[in-house]
Amino acid sequence: MGRCVAHLDMDAFYVSVELRRRPELRGRPVIVAGTGPRSVVTTASYEARRFGVGSAMPAARARRLCPQGVFLAPDFAYYREASRQVMATVRATVDTVEVIGLDEAYLDLHAMPEPVAAMRRLAAEIDRTTGLGCSIGIGPNKLVAKVASDAEKPRGFVVMTREQACRRFAASPCGLVPGIGPKTVERLRALGLETLGALAGAPPPRIAARFGPRLGAELQHRARFEDDSPVSQERKVVSESRELTFDQDIRELERLEAILAQLVTRLCDGLVAQRRRGRTIGIKIRLDDFSTHTRARTLTEAVSSADRVGPVALELLRRFAPPRPVRLLGVRVAGLEPADGAAVEQLRLVV
DNA sequence: TCTGGGGTCCTCTGTCGA
DNA sequence: TCTGTCGACAGAGGACCC
């Protein structure tokens, strides 16, 4: 029996969760976005999307496009709780569940006798127990399932073979499939390849000449909806970071140092609480021209406390000596491991 | 209209030791 | 002893995702 994978994607998740506690806003354009002058839209309701508002758009632009929109500040603790509720319902139906973020999951259905009927029941069950809508795609691999779940949102339910996906999306832009982002779309366009069908059928040497043999082959696999990546329940956390974009750019090194110290404290409090530590300390700096720079140092032993991480981060910042005003500052600890021989399971992210 | 926060993974390059 | 090669690793940048 071949593989059978479902992708479950909650519809406009953050907005839908907000509407549960504010039902009077149903039917109105609701936009979850940060409050600062440089914040972006996290999620927009389908009513707001009709005004051209979309995820990752600057909130200021969203306000101009949709002045009558209801803007809500994100409440991630509330969304996490809603996500736990949804995923608990999913796990009650399916054994192998790979959770992606708060609102998505891949489900391995190969052992399920009637997977399509089971997924229809699951969507209804999520609606009944949480009041939230979802879209589900089912296919022979994660790639087909993912694109299928996106195809008819909201409350979509699409079942496809790989061949059907190839036919249905042959004329779609290459950026439709995950892993082909805006930059790659541009490079493909420069080769005259605008659609998935064109990319899938292009001579491999031509793609390899532009993208290298590995990435080139990978792009063509995706265009043909070929994907053998497993549905894996556990994702290993390899790094943790805290970063902050300032409302206004900062020039003074002393102010940056003080903010860096706060970020280190926030990061290390979390690491210590989770009994994790790491060997590589890094900083991230985005300048006012939006160029991003990272500096890192790997220590001989893993650390987690602010008084060990702080001085390293500070020295990296001083050595970089930002040549222009700074818009974002971040700190990161990578190469994470358990702090005290604790079980390896502590490194696993089980959302 | 300028572009968040928190992640993963890949590529390229330089260094170092076997 | 010198030189070339190779792999591992670290560092930096970038693409991409939710």
Side-chain angles (χ1 to χ4, degrees), chain A residues 98-347:
Chain A
E98 179 178 341
V99 177
I100 311 284
L102 293 184
D103 65 339
E104 285 186 31
Y106 288 101
L107 286 53
D108 187 343
L109 307 180
H110 83 276
M112 204 164 249
E114 291 181 7
V116 174
M119 289 303 99
R120 285 206 184 273
R121 285 196 300 274
L122 176 61
E125 179 69 4
I126 289 172
D127 192 0
R128 189 184 69 77
T129 56
T130 70
L132 299 169
C134 68
S135 295
I136 292 179
I138 301 176
N141 60 44
K142 289 163 76 173
L143 190 51
V144 172
K146 165 82 177 165
V147 174
S149 75
D150 271 342
E152 296 180 16
K153 273 181 153 296
R155 292 182 188 264
F157 192 96
V158 176
V159 185
M160 271 192 288
T161 64
R162 189 186 69 81
E163 292 76 13
Q164 286 169 331
C166 286
R167 279 197 296 275
R168 177 162 172 176
F169 301 112
S172 297
C174 298
L176 181 84
V177 300
I180 302 183
K183 300 285 182 181
T184 307
V185 165
E186 267 316 300
R187 292 170 71 187
L188 288 167
R189 185 170 291 147
L191 291 177
L193 301 171
E194 305 260 359
T195 64
L196 287 171
L199 173 56
R206 189 161 163 245
I207 308 298
R210 184 70 181 82
F211 292 94
R214 279 177 53 161
L215 180 56
E218 177 60 26
L219 291 174
Q220 292 200 289
H221 279 306
R222 284 176 192 261
R224 298 183 193 116
F225 291 90
E226 295 164 347
D227 172 26
D228 58 5
S229 63
V231 178
S232 56
Q233 304 201 58
E234 293 177 339
R235 310 190 91 205
K236 200 172 178 186
V237 177
V238 301
S239 74
E240 199 164 319
S241 62
R242 295 292 179 273
E243 63 186 53
L244 179 66
T245 296
F246 311 132
D247 289 351
Q248 280 165 350
D249 301 337
I250 296 178
R251 302 189 117 89
E252 302 80 21
L253 188 59
E254 313 82 64
R255 285 184 65 199
L256 294 171
E257 290 178 358
I259 292 163
L260 184 62
Q262 292 169 15
L263 290 168
V264 166
T265 301
R266 279 177 51 205
L267 175 61
C268 291
D269 284 354
L271 290 175
V272 170
Q274 298 161 67
R275 299 168 78 191
R276 292 190 294 180
R277 59 187 183 185
R279 280 178 59 209
T280 302
I281 318 293
I283 62 166
K284 172 173 163 182
I285 297 142
R286 179 167 290 151
L287 302 176
D288 65 341
D289 61 0
F290 220 72
S291 62
T292 304
H293 307 266
T294 59
R295 293 293 182 271
R297 181 181 307 155
T298 299
L299 309 177
T300 51
E301 57 170 356
V303 298
S304 62
S305 65
D307 58 353
R308 301 293 302 279
V309 174
V312 179
L314 201 59
E315 205 209 317
L316 290 169
L317 174 63
R318 286 177 179 159
R319 189 173 291 188
F320 177 73
R324 307 172 58 95
V326 174
R327 116 181 236 123
L328 171 149
L329 187 58
V331 62
R332 171 173 183 259
V333 173
L336 291 178
E337 61 182 50
D340 51 4
V344 173
E345 275 63 33
Q346 291 203 342
L347 278 178

